[in-house]
Amino acid sequence: MRDERQGCAGIFLAASGAVVAVLSWAPRARVSVDGGFEGMHRDLSVLYVDLPLIAAGGALVPLAAWLLTLRALRRPWLAAVIAPGALALGIWGLLSWWTPYQRPEFTG
């Protein structure tokens, strides 16, 4: 694979990783954006703190795996397998670890 194609593949992996990470993170962040019951628990910090971090992580994890595999093994087809696998592991780790804070609905 020529260098131009390898660069384009890396950029494509980074862009698709950012999109997939944000789309898998969005359902959990929905509670903080819409506020739950009558909008009482709205926390918009997930949009300006968590969203950029999730997008950056989703872009950097597959790109780093792609570059490290190309550098170490010099096999583009293997890098094309390892990069989505690293993204899948990163998203799994994110979803198993990150949950937005939710205050109790009724504190009577």
Side-chain angles (χ1 to χ4, degrees), residues 10-92:
I11 291 172
F12 174 73
L13 280 170
S16 62
V19 169
V20 169
V22 168
L23 289 178
S24 62
W25 164 84
R28 289 199 178 190
R30 181 183 57 83
V31 174
S32 295
V33 174
D34 69 8
F37 180 71
E38 293 183 353
M40 293 174 47
H41 306 296
R42 181 170 284 179
D43 180 19
L44 296 180
S45 69
V46 295
L47 294 178
Y48 58 84
V49 174
D50 295 343
L51 178 63
L53 291 175
I54 297 297
L60 292 177
V61 166
L63 185 61
W66 169 262
L67 292 174
L68 288 172
T69 305
L70 278 181
R71 180 109 181 175
L73 302 176
R74 301 196 194 290
R75 304 249 192 268
W77 63 271
L78 188 58
V81 171
I82 289 177
L87 177 66
L89 283 175
I91 290 175
W92 173 76

